Amino acid sequence: MPILREDHQSLSESLSIHSGSQDLQTSNDDVDDLQASSLAPGEKAGLLGREVTLFSAVMLNIGQITGSGIYAVPGVILNSVGSIGLLLLYWIMAPIFAFAGLSLYAELASMFPHRSGAEVVYLEQAYPHPRFLVSTAFAVTVVLTSFSASNAIVFAQYFLSAFEIEITARNQTTVALAVVVLTVGSVAVSTKWSLRAVNFLTTFKIISLFFIVAAGAAVLTGITPVKDPYANFQNIFEGSSFNPNALATAFVKSNHAFIGWANAFNVLGEVKSKNPARTVRNAGRISLFLVSILFLFINVAYVAAVPREDIRNSGQLIAVLFFRRVFGSTGAKVFPLLVALSCFGNIIAVTIGQARIIREVARQGLLPYPAFFSSVKPFGTPLAPSGLKGFLTILVILAIPAKDAFNFVLDLASYPHLVFQAAMAVGIWVLRGRRRRAKLSEAPLKASNGVIFIYLTSVPPEPGHADVSFWYATYCVAGIGLLLCCGLYYWIWIIVLPKLGGYEVVEEIEESADGARNTRLRRRYKKLVAEEQAEEEQAEQQPLLGAT
């Protein structure tokens, strides 16, 4: 049973408290944590253990980056941009934005070096007013989009292809559900063994990527059955599309292929290092440098081996076409298993990070039953957040038509992320200003303003292009609608209902037996408060001793 450790405070009280001199706390190692707007209370360091080393952080990043993206996205991008030249250009541009984002995250991590959760922490700190607004919007969005449906779907497609089983909607859904249960369950039971699984599977994936690059080199040297490997490199910008929405779609898809470079920031509080922020930044640099080179040359290998029109029509099966053309029927059977294994490891790596994000959301008091979702019982792991992620992934897989599932869930998760990406970039200037006013030193890992502007760069979607069978802008409308619903929910929850009901929202801090601490939001009725105050005043007016 959680124990209340601090007296509750009202929303108006919290606003005044958090604007005062108590806003800032300075750590002994000269890394100053701004706690002005914390919704989540501090808790004992290392509650989830200290299992993450530099190697594990690199593997967590690469494990998420090397999921389905490099095997499934190139065909989708070419279908959007139309030319080989633009396809390759996007794979050169995407890492630039990723490195810019890494610098921004590193600065924020150096401000809050002992908290896991990354974005959920940074947005909470940057936007304290109106109280709960930004945190609520991010919490709802991140929870509802914290699914690994795209990788589960690609796993199912490649797994079925490897065993020459017909890829029907039923077969795809069944296999996808099975892999979700297995991978999410492993994270829920043991952090140590799930990290070991990520290390092993990611090492295997890196070897597989190098093998694809080597196979591409063999194609270009003419020692494979592929004829005229340079055909696609002639007039490489022929057929280029400059439709704004097509370019925006390609931009989102290429960025999606690199999502994961920040995964280790989600476990910052579990890093085994004297300087966790620097360790995680170095892990990000190593991950991005290696993966950027591999991804570019893998795309060159695809272009050398597979005709352009086949790439455009490949959907998410470009890697199968590549191995079929290079290695014949044997390659077409073996390689899909490698891709499926890659997606398997990706889901584990993603779940490790996202479970921490959901747990931080719960610690802010923004999930029902926050003590339940922030607890680390019985395995010392975020069991409930892992289960919630698994449930939402299963729900998405069952709800979206199988043939459109990959593209739709990819777009739905990507566009709201761009909004918070912009908020994060602006938020770093907000936090810098707050530190200056408090006469604190600059963050140890400061990003340049130019890098922040690069990270801010994004392309808004416009009408005119579709990669699903239903209305092309469904994902955009759904993403924007989700954000608007968050604002409506906040307005009703924090403003309308308290006004109509005569109460205010107060915050209480709970501490569970396992050491987990979280905020719980509850109602405090003004009438009862007024009655209590009147009773206290009346008691104070009574004489201390009876009259004689």
Side-chain angles (χ1 to χ4, degrees):
M1 179 70 180
I3 303 173
L4 298 183
R5 290 297 187 188
E6 296 183 13
D7 292 335
H8 56 245
Q9 62 186 45
S10 70
L11 180 57
S12 58
E13 290 169 341
S14 71
L15 291 175
S16 61
I17 289 174
H18 290 303
S19 62
S21 60
Q22 303 176 52
D23 283 3
L24 307 168
Q25 297 177 350
T26 306
S27 64
N28 294 330
D29 59 0
D30 198 34
V31 180
D32 305 306
D33 281 6
L34 289 175
Q35 298 296 345
S37 51
S38 292
L39 292 175
E43 62 182 2
K44 182 178 67 177
L47 187 64
L48 288 168
R50 297 282 190 182
E51 302 289 346
V52 182
T53 62
L54 174 63
F55 178 74
S56 295
V58 171
M59 294 296 104
L60 276 172
N61 290 342
I62 298 179
Q64 181 172 354
I65 298 173
T66 55
S68 61
I70 189 58
Y71 305 114
V73 167
V76 179
I77 294 177
L78 183 59
N79 188 46
S80 293
V81 300
S83 71
I84 298 297
L86 286 180
L87 168 67
L88 297 178
L89 185 61
Y90 268 90
W91 289 99
I92 295 172
M93 291 170 53
I96 297 174
F97 293 95
F99 273 107
L102 175 61
S103 297
L104 185 146
Y105 268 68
E107 177 173 348
L108 291 168
S110 67
M111 293 182 188
F112 315 103
H114 305 299
R115 285 191 64 183
S116 298
E119 281 180 298
V120 65
V121 176
Y122 309 148
L123 289 170
E124 164 200 288
Q125 297 289 336
Y127 301 101
H129 311 306
R131 190 68 167 163
F132 307 123
L133 176 58
V134 174
S135 294
T136 298
F138 182 77
V140 174
T141 302
V142 76
V143 170
L144 293 183
T145 61
S146 63
F147 41 72
S148 294
S150 59
N151 277 292
I153 292 162
V154 173
F155 173 91
Q157 291 176 342
Y158 277 93
F159 182 85
L160 294 171
S161 177
F163 291 98
E164 298 183 345
I165 301 173
E166 184 181 1
I167 305 177
T168 63
R170 181 177 180 179
N171 290 341
Q172 175 179 301
T173 300
T174 301
V175 175
L177 294 178
V179 74
V180 169
V181 172
L182 183 59
T183 52
V184 174
S186 67
V187 175
V189 171
S190 173
T191 297
K192 178 184 290 186
W193 284 100
S194 59
L195 284 173
R196 289 179 178 177
V198 169
N199 293 345
F200 173 77
L201 292 170
T202 302
T203 300
F204 183 80
K205 288 194 285 185
I206 293 172
I207 295 172
S208 300
L209 296 178
F210 272 107
F211 182 74
I212 298 175
V213 173
V219 171
L220 291 171
T221 57
I223 61 176
T224 68
V226 176
K227 297 179 181 179
D228 195 7
Y230 295 94
N232 284 338
F233 295 99
Q234 299 173 8
N235 301 318
I236 59 172
F237 287 99
E238 181 181 356
S240 296
S241 170
F242 296 100
N243 177 282
N245 187 72
L247 297 178
T249 299
F251 175 79
V252 171
K253 296 292 173 65
S254 60
N255 278 347
H256 171 79
F258 285 90
I259 285 179
W261 53 262
N263 194 24
F265 287 94
N266 293 324
V267 295
L268 187 65
E270 301 170 50
V271 174
K272 189 188 300 183
S273 170
K274 293 182 179 180
N275 194 330
R278 192 175 299 276
T279 298
V280 172
R281 183 196 63 178
N282 292 341
R285 287 177 171 177
I286 295 169
S287 307
L288 274 177
F289 179 76
L290 179 60
V291 170
S292 298
I293 293 175
L294 287 172
F295 279 12
L296 177 61
F297 284 108
I298 286 172
N299 274 272
V300 171
Y302 289 158
V303 172
V306 184
R308 186 176 70 174
E309 289 305 311
D310 288 351
I311 297 176
R312 291 187 64 174
N313 298 323
S314 64
Q316 292 86 53
L317 298 176
I318 175 61
V320 171
L321 296 182
F322 171 80
F323 263 73
R324 181 176 293 140
R325 290 182 63 83
V326 176
F327 298 104
S329 58
T330 301
K333 292 180 179 179
V334 173
F335 188 70
L337 284 178
L338 302 182
V339 179
L341 195 62
S342 176
C343 293
F344 187 91
N346 173 273
I347 298 174
I348 297 178
V350 171
T351 303
I352 290 174
Q354 288 188 338
R356 273 68 182 174
I357 294 176
I358 296 174
R359 181 174 183 271
E360 281 299 310
V361 169
R363 291 199 336 104
Q364 292 176 338
L366 300 178
L367 279 181
Y369 311 106
F372 171 73
F373 282 103
S374 60
S375 174
V376 297
K377 287 184 175 181
F379 306 114
T381 62
L383 175 62
S386 300
L388 178 59
K389 173 183 166 58
F391 170 76
L392 292 171
T393 300
I394 291 172
L395 189 63
V396 170
I397 292 172
L398 294 175
I400 305 299
K403 66 177 181 178
D404 294 316
F406 177 82
N407 285 321
F408 182 78
V409 300
L410 175 54
D411 293 331
L412 178 62
S414 296
Y415 275 88
H417 175 74
L418 294 178
V419 175
F420 293 111
Q421 169 184 304
M424 285 262 296
V426 174
I428 202 167
W429 288 317
V430 174
L431 290 170
R432 286 177 181 176
R434 193 180 300 163
R435 293 177 73 90
R436 283 194 299 269
R437 290 190 295 274
K439 297 181 180 180
L440 293 175
S441 60
E442 292 184 340
L445 305 179
K446 185 177 180 180
S448 70
N449 287 329
V451 165
I452 297 175
F453 278 116
I454 291 174
Y455 187 70
L456 267 171
T457 304
S458 61
V459 185
E462 296 185 16
H465 192 80
D467 58 5
V468 291
S469 62
F470 43 84
W471 185 43
Y472 74 92
T474 300
Y475 62 85
C476 183
V477 171
I480 295 174
L482 178 60
L483 294 176
L484 292 176
C485 286
C486 291
L488 178 62
Y489 170 74
Y490 169 84
W491 180 68
I492 294 174
W493 175 44
I494 295 296
I495 298 176
V496 176
L497 292 181
K499 185 176 180 179
L500 295 177
Y503 64 86
E504 56 188 349
V505 177
V506 299
E507 302 171 59
E508 294 179 337
I509 295 179
E510 299 177 317
E511 182 171 339
S512 300
D514 57 7
R517 305 182 82 227
N518 63 272
T519 296
R520 181 167 70 94
L521 305 181
R522 59 180 294 270
R523 300 171 182 175
R524 184 171 67 178
Y525 287 90
K526 296 180 180 180
K527 183 178 179 180
L528 294 178
V529 172
E531 291 175 354
E532 291 174 359
Q533 291 176 345
E535 291 177 359
E536 291 176 358
E537 291 175 358
Q538 185 177 1
E540 291 174 357
Q541 293 173 1
Q542 295 293 329
L544 184 62
L545 297 174
T548 58

